[in-house]
Amino acid sequence: MLISQNDVIYVAGHKGMVGKAIVRNLKRKGFKKILTITKKELDLRDNISVKKWFKQNKPDVVILAAAKVGGIQANFESPTEFLIDNLKIQNNVIEYAWKFSAKRLLFLGSSCIYPKFANQPIREEELLNGKLEYTNESYALAKITGIRFCEALRNQYKFDAITLMPTNLYGPYDNYDVNNGHVLAALIKKFYFASKLNLKNVECWGDGSPLREFLHVDDLADACLFTLLYWDPSKKDSPKLDSGNELCYLNVGTGIEITIKDLAKKIANEFGYTGEILWDKSKPNGTPRKLLNIERIKNIGWSPKKKLEQGIPETINIFKKEIDIAPY
């Protein structure tokens, strides 16, 4: 194994949906030396503060799950913040993990790094092979820079940095904001209140045609620990690019897709909502299709476990326990 339970593991972004899932999984698997720190205590955009923190704490393993995230509207309205905040966070954490001798770093990218019209299912070779989707271009550019930074450190300094590119995520503790949250979480909130308030209709963005793949956040957390434990890109039997060069970033998904329209119907049914679903075609659809090829991560021994049919009801039940019962 490439890491052990004696290692001190720093999870950056432990308050977010992904970070919480990673911490839960680490604890469940017996890891006790877990370092976390809140944004109030340490602003990861602040270079000097991050350097000081790494110098004092020197974690053995770093998992970079911290990021400024949001749905189509948030990305479209705040491209500057999505670019600059994520670049600062990534550059600071990756640089000082390297300079203060962490033995492994895992950076979480995103499937939005791939071109809008990438060949489907999307293989890792599609990176930088075409134009990005304009509605999340700033976020994607930041993530691409993080991937290339990790790759450069591996190639030039032999720093053991790896990257995972998860598909669309959902699960406990998501951002359920109907304007700025991820699509599945936003739909849960919309249909929850529609059923509570007996609304005659629910309006959704676009025309419902885009195809999307959804991964439960607990599956991603499992993939993070699995790759930290067992995936060494420098080994001869590790997945390689078609060129034969070392591959230090892997897709993480389910290999199963669903239209946004069918997803909306599925969530509406969970709430017993029978009203009309309206589609606002003046709003952007985003990328028409985004299905990841996950053969390479499956070949090293990992595969997803939770299907939408199980994950959506579980997520809704947790959401119902947490939601403040007040119309949005």
Side-chain angles (χ1 to χ4, degrees):
M1 291 189 295
L2 299 168
I3 67 170
S4 76
Q5 292 183 353
N6 291 321
D7 288 326
V8 176
I9 302 176
Y10 168 45
V11 181
H14 76 289
K15 287 289 189 178
M17 174 178 68
V18 174
K20 284 182 178 179
I22 290 171
V23 171
R24 285 197 306 271
N25 190 51
L26 287 170
K27 289 180 177 178
R28 189 163 56 243
K29 299 294 176 61
F31 289 83
K32 295 182 173 62
K33 297 180 179 181
I34 304 169
L35 276 179
T36 58
I37 187 165
T38 66
K39 184 177 179 180
K40 186 176 181 180
E41 295 170 309
L42 177 64
D43 185 345
L44 294 177
R45 297 169 299 180
D46 184 333
N47 183 280
I48 294 173
S49 296
V50 175
K51 180 179 181 180
K52 181 179 178 181
W53 187 89
F54 269 90
K55 186 176 182 179
Q56 290 175 341
N57 292 276
K58 292 186 173 64
D60 301 303
V61 179
V62 175
I63 302 175
L64 179 44
K68 180 177 178 61
V69 298
I72 287 179
Q73 182 167 327
N75 276 270
F76 188 66
E77 291 179 346
S78 305
T80 302
E81 287 74 23
F82 274 87
L83 183 61
I84 196 167
D85 285 0
N86 283 307
L87 284 174
K88 285 180 177 179
I89 290 167
Q90 295 165 192
N91 290 347
N92 290 338
V93 174
I94 295 170
E95 178 181 4
Y96 293 121
W98 162 55
K99 286 189 173 176
F100 290 103
S101 303
K103 71 177 189 179
R104 296 215 88 186
L105 176 137
L106 170 61
F107 171 62
L108 287 174
S110 167
S111 60
C112 76
I113 62 157
Y114 290 117
K116 180 173 183 175
F117 299 109
N119 293 311
Q120 306 282 330
I122 305 170
R123 302 176 75 237
E124 287 83 354
E125 277 82 2
E126 290 292 317
L127 180 61
L128 295 175
N129 202 31
K131 292 185 69 172
L132 299 167
E133 159 60 32
Y134 77 97
T135 55
N136 59 22
E137 186 178 66
S138 289
Y139 181 74
L141 286 170
K143 289 294 185 179
I144 291 169
T145 301
I147 293 165
R148 290 305 198 213
F149 189 13
C150 289
E151 194 173 41
L153 287 170
R154 284 193 69 87
N155 292 336
Q156 186 175 354
Y157 294 106
K158 309 305 177 187
F159 178 59
D160 192 4
I162 57 175
T163 301
L164 295 180
M165 267 96 68
T167 190
N168 300 280
L169 299 171
Y170 75 101
Y173 312 112
D174 204 345
N175 173 14
Y176 294 93
D177 188 287
V178 295
N179 292 315
N180 297 318
H182 296 129
V183 59
L184 195 150
L187 289 172
I188 285 176
K189 188 169 185 179
K190 283 191 176 193
F191 286 107
Y192 172 80
F193 281 114
S195 63
K196 277 283 181 183
L197 302 173
N198 296 313
L199 300 181
K200 292 182 179 180
N201 56 66
V202 171
E203 187 175 278
C204 300
W205 276 37
D207 62 15
S209 66
L211 285 157
R212 291 291 182 271
E213 172 187 19
F214 292 94
L215 178 71
H216 195 280
V217 71
D218 286 344
D219 275 340
L220 174 60
D222 184 62
C224 288
L225 182 55
F226 180 90
T227 51
L228 281 169
L229 285 167
Y230 303 114
W231 176 40
D232 181 352
S234 65
K235 295 292 186 183
K236 287 185 179 180
D237 58 352
S238 287
K240 299 291 186 290
L241 289 164
D242 287 345
S243 63
N245 291 334
E246 183 176 292
L247 176 64
C248 57
Y249 52 92
L250 293 176
N251 292 336
V252 188
T254 63
I256 300 169
E257 58 189 348
I258 183 173
T259 65
I260 298 299
K261 187 172 286 187
D262 286 342
L263 178 68
K265 290 177 183 177
K266 189 182 288 285
I267 293 172
N269 290 338
E270 289 292 334
F271 287 108
Y273 179 74
T274 56
E276 187 178 7
I277 302 175
L278 304 176
W279 295 93
D280 182 355
K281 296 178 183 178
S282 69
K283 297 293 195 297
N285 275 325
T287 302
R289 187 186 184 201
K290 192 168 63 171
L291 177 67
L292 295 183
N293 182 309
I294 59 169
E295 288 305 310
R296 283 175 167 127
I297 194 167
K298 288 174 73 175
N299 286 341
I300 64 171
W302 181 88
S303 59
K305 298 178 179 65
K306 196 163 290 191
K307 296 182 178 180
L308 273 178
E309 289 72 19
Q310 176 191 0
I312 288 177
E314 289 179 359
T315 302
I316 288 172
N317 287 336
I318 294 171
F319 168 80
K320 285 178 177 178
K321 293 175 183 177
E322 296 182 341
I323 189 69
D324 179 14
I325 310 300
Y328 61 93

